[in-house]
Amino acid sequence: MNRKVDDYIESLPDVKRELAEALRELIFTTVPHVEEKLSFKIPFYHYVGMFCYMNEVAEGIDVGFCRGKDLVFAWPQLDLRGRKMVASLIITNKKQIHQYKLHDLLIGAA
């Protein structure tokens, strides 16, 4: 784990902090040997290159996949939002982590 990412997560409001902690734990347990870095002022996870990120947004935590355009067919819950490569989904509560099958999505993206 990365101290700068610790600081980022600790600075979040309570609900978003809990979501970010749960997402971080899921990423580390699902993708062995993932590397965590603070890039562009947000947590990025590297696994054979930039893999995914977490970003605080008004609604919750945006979980983005750097090569998400390749994933949207298999995981239609992802949204390109007009972007060419990155696709993401916004997590607003812990139930959505399972509802959106984020574990399977992480494996597919890795």
Side-chain angles (χ1 to χ4, degrees), residues 8-9 12-27 45 54-63 89-98 100 102:
Y8 173 88
I9 291 173
L12 297 174
D14 289 344
V15 172
K16 292 179 184 177
R17 185 178 64 246
E18 289 177 17
L19 285 174
E21 288 169 347
L23 290 165
R24 184 187 204 190
E25 180 65 25
L26 180 64
I27 291 167
Y45 297 87
M54 291 190 298
N55 186 27
E56 176 191 18
V57 294
E59 302 91 342
I61 301 293
D62 186 41
V63 179
L89 54 95
I90 297 173
I91 303 292
T92 59
N93 61 64
K94 287 185 181 180
K95 282 184 179 180
Q96 289 177 325
I97 293 172
H98 301 290
Y100 290 140
L102 202 52

Side-chain angles (χ1 to χ4, degrees), residues 9-73:
I9 291 173
E10 288 170 11
S11 74
L12 297 174
D14 289 344
V15 172
K16 292 179 184 177
R17 185 178 64 246
E18 289 177 17
L19 285 174
E21 288 169 347
L23 290 165
R24 184 187 204 190
E25 180 65 25
L26 180 64
I27 291 167
F28 277 114
T29 59
T30 304
V31 184
H33 310 294
V34 71
E35 185 180 352
E36 180 180 63
K37 297 180 183 179
L38 194 70
S39 301
F40 309 105
K41 300 183 182 180
I42 61 173
F44 268 84
Y45 297 87
H46 296 250
Y47 183 78
V48 189
M50 286 182 142
F51 160 61
C52 69
Y53 66 83
M54 291 190 298
N55 186 27
E56 176 191 18
V57 294
E59 302 91 342
I61 301 293
D62 186 41
V63 179
F65 293 88
C66 299
R67 297 207 30 101
K69 73 170 184 74
D70 298 330
L71 302 170
V72 294
F73 182 74

